[in-house]
Amino acid sequence: MASSSSCSSSIQTRSGPIDSDVLWMQSKHVSEHAWNREPDRKLHIRRAVPTYQGEEQIPEEIVPLLRQCGFYWIMRMGYLKINVALISAFIERWRPETHTFHLRCGEATITLQDVSVLLGLRSDGAPLIGSTNLVWADLCEELLGVRPQEGEIEGNVVKLSWLAHHFSHINIDEGNVEQLQRFTRAWILRFIGGVLFVNKSSSRVSLRYLQFLRDFEQCSTYAWGPAVLAYLYREMCSATDYKVKSIGGMCILIQMWAWERCTTLAPKRTPPVIENKPLGHRWLRRGNQHIGNDDLRLFRRKLDLMKRHEFVWEPYTATVMAALPPICVVGGVAWFAVVPLICFHVVEWHQPDRVLRQFGLQQPIPGCPSQPQNLHGITLKGKQDENWFHLLAPIIGQWNNRAEFRVDVYPRQEGLLGYNSDYMVWYRRKTKMFVDPNNANTAALGEVVETLQYMVSPQGRNTWTVDDLVPYVDKLAIISEEQERIIEPVSHGPASEREFPAQEFPILQSSVETRGIGRRREPVQAEQYSQQMMERQHGMYYTPATFSEYPSQMYQYPFAGHHTDTSETSHSFSGVAEIQPHFSWPTMTPSQQHDAPIPTPNAPFAPQWNVPGAIPDMGDLLGVDLRQEFSAEAEQAEAGRQRGGRRNPDHHARRWDRPCGTSSRHHGHHND
């Protein structure tokens, strides 16, 4: 213990990413504020769901028209309760640079497939772009039958309360189709302004969407799904600013996407699929709308510590897809297309090439993000008279030719992607793995265990000393928060002066009750549980950064350019940096090797090493007892000295291609 305390070791936690070429906005991202332990920011959801006769319901009279124009399914889901903490936690992992969530297991995102399957909106059709300089009062009078007076309309915007006042009841004569159509348009407009495309006031709606509601059959041919996703992308990107306190758009899509894919975040009981309805409708059943815990830090921790098997890459199985209505599978070509999503001035790029595992394909290292930065912040302010068809002509052309921008077909991903696959090695350098620094210690624990496993492997046993082990023992004490039991001195309490033994009172000796409270209890034998390491095949993952500069533990020492450096060094692993003050090897982890796109092999769980010899259990944390290895090696060394033989425990003839110890006790060969 004296050695541990005298050699100081620390765990220095850093934010990440290691390379900033992908997440170049990290210093301006909300996750940086959370990392710095600034006050938590729980977003306000801007939403104003339309009501009828004081209740959250859709009038039965307009249901046929809503089905005709393609809005019925999504309107039903507008009434689902939203978990604000869950939305806020996912925004902390949303990246405006890539339009993806950066999770522990890799990039994932909401795609057009999710929009179609969950909401029942079509993913193809003409882009949602039209005129922005019409005479809006005339358009209202034509399509709604009511002309807003001065003060009730401002530019192209009217208040939702104005629509609710004039269209609060359906007072029409039987067979008056025109009046029913006007009420339906007003209801859709209220839903657009209160749920789909909510502005910052959440109390007004733009009349520019009214021009698409003139003909209900024509309305169903527009690309409403891409427009909804584009607007949600823009709102999510804006909400990554710590100063932004609210978010609009179809936020319920984020929640349903998380419930379908993240097993630790979903309600305990997953409802069954409903035949001929979008998948999101199964969460509307009474009893399924409980949103659970509303603690932001709890959701943040769950995302920080999420294991790779806890994320479902393909929730839409063949059985699920077969039960969906036809509208949920229309436009499947766009699901795989890297194309712009258009909603008037809002142009956000759809990038399925970064999340191919969501489609069951292997994920190569992706290229640069596709989102043009000069389009990311455009608004309509001062641009009402612009011809958006002309301005966005190349972008509209790319959407219309979306089949040409379909991602390449890669081999199918079998099982889970390996932790040391090319993609994951690249991804760990480019991402911010943890939002809360308190959760980052888990990465340090993984590094310690990995290093100790290497130390007891055939390749590592002759390349380290007890001094090399010291900082990792210290790290275990820091992570387990058990430093006190190691560094605090022994203290003795006073001896007991007086004892009070249990007494016996000879009363009611014939009563069975005097046998005590356990007389009716049956003894239960405790079960024994054990966990074992998986056996590895020949070949380890890679040498830990402390011991090698190459990504293969099969590389043979010595290697050119090696030198022993006694100065303080530091290196980073998954956002956690370690400082070693005494001994270091050249530091170049596999993550530091791959800077250019390389193909990702189809790598499920990598096989484990089969370490020779039975190593007794040391405890729940490590699963190995290094003390036996220490004593065995010491006994061999002592026997060698007594015989005047070699110190090296390997008694075979020395081979130059055998790993040569280069620690403080292995600087050269002995008895040469």
Side-chain angles (χ1 to χ4, degrees), residues 580-598:
Q580 296 183 349
H582 53 89
F583 181 83
S584 70
W585 288 75
T587 301
M588 184 178 292
T589 65
S591 301
Q592 295 170 317
Q593 302 248 347
H594 306 306
D595 292 325
I598 54 178

Side-chain angles (χ1 to χ4, degrees), residues 14-19 23 26 29-36 92-93 95 102-104 304 427-437 574-575:
R14 295 177 182 172
S15 170
I18 300 174
D19 300 332
L23 304 186
Q26 179 56 42
H29 196 271
V30 61
S31 61
E32 203 77 331
H33 296 268
W35 178 268
N36 294 339
E92 292 177 348
R93 289 189 167 272
R95 305 307 309 201
H102 273 229
L103 305 175
R104 289 284 304 277
D304 274 351
Y427 176 72
R428 286 194 296 272
R429 291 186 60 86
K430 309 298 182 181
T431 190
K432 177 178 174 61
M433 194 69 70
F434 300 94
V435 175
D436 189 336
S574 299

Side-chain angles (χ1 to χ4, degrees), residues 555-575:
Y555 184 84
Q556 304 296 313
Y557 302 108
F559 49 83
H562 170 258
H563 67 278
T564 301
D565 183 5
T566 57
S567 62
E568 183 178 87
T569 62
S570 68
H571 64 271
S572 177
F573 182 85
S574 299

Side-chain angles (χ1 to χ4, degrees), residues 173-302:
D173 298 330
E174 186 175 352
N176 193 334
V177 178
E178 185 177 7
Q179 287 294 331
L180 192 61
Q181 290 177 343
R182 289 173 176 174
F183 186 94
T184 304
R185 294 188 186 104
W187 186 269
I188 295 175
L189 206 57
R190 290 172 64 187
F191 186 78
I192 288 175
V195 179
L196 296 184
F197 309 130
V198 188
N199 63 16
K200 292 183 178 180
S201 70
S202 66
S203 62
R204 301 171 183 270
V205 61
S206 174
L207 293 172
R208 63 178 178 267
Y209 301 107
L210 185 57
Q211 59 188 300
F212 301 107
L213 307 179
R214 184 186 303 274
D215 181 271
F216 288 165
E217 286 292 342
Q218 183 69 21
C219 175
S220 65
T221 65
Y222 289 107
W224 289 99
V228 168
L229 188 57
Y231 199 90
L232 182 61
Y233 275 5
R234 175 66 63 89
E235 286 290 325
M236 294 167 69
C237 292
S238 300
T240 58
D241 182 358
Y242 181 70
K243 296 179 180 179
V244 173
K245 305 302 180 184
S246 64
I247 183 174
M250 192 65 180
C251 291
I252 194 62
L253 178 58
I254 306 174
Q255 181 169 301
M256 289 191 296
W257 182 89
W259 283 355
E260 295 290 344
R261 295 181 181 272
C262 304
T263 58
T264 59
L265 306 180
K268 293 182 179 180
R269 188 175 70 89
T270 301
V273 179
I274 305 177
E275 192 79 18
N276 291 323
K277 289 185 178 181
L279 186 60
H281 271 243
R282 64 174 171 176
W283 300 105
L284 297 178
R285 290 183 174 182
R286 183 169 297 181
N288 294 331
Q289 297 194 28
H290 178 61
I291 61 175
N293 198 300
D294 198 31
D295 185 354
L296 171 59
R297 295 190 180 186
L298 175 63
F299 284 108
R300 182 185 296 159
R301 177 173 177 79
K302 286 185 176 182

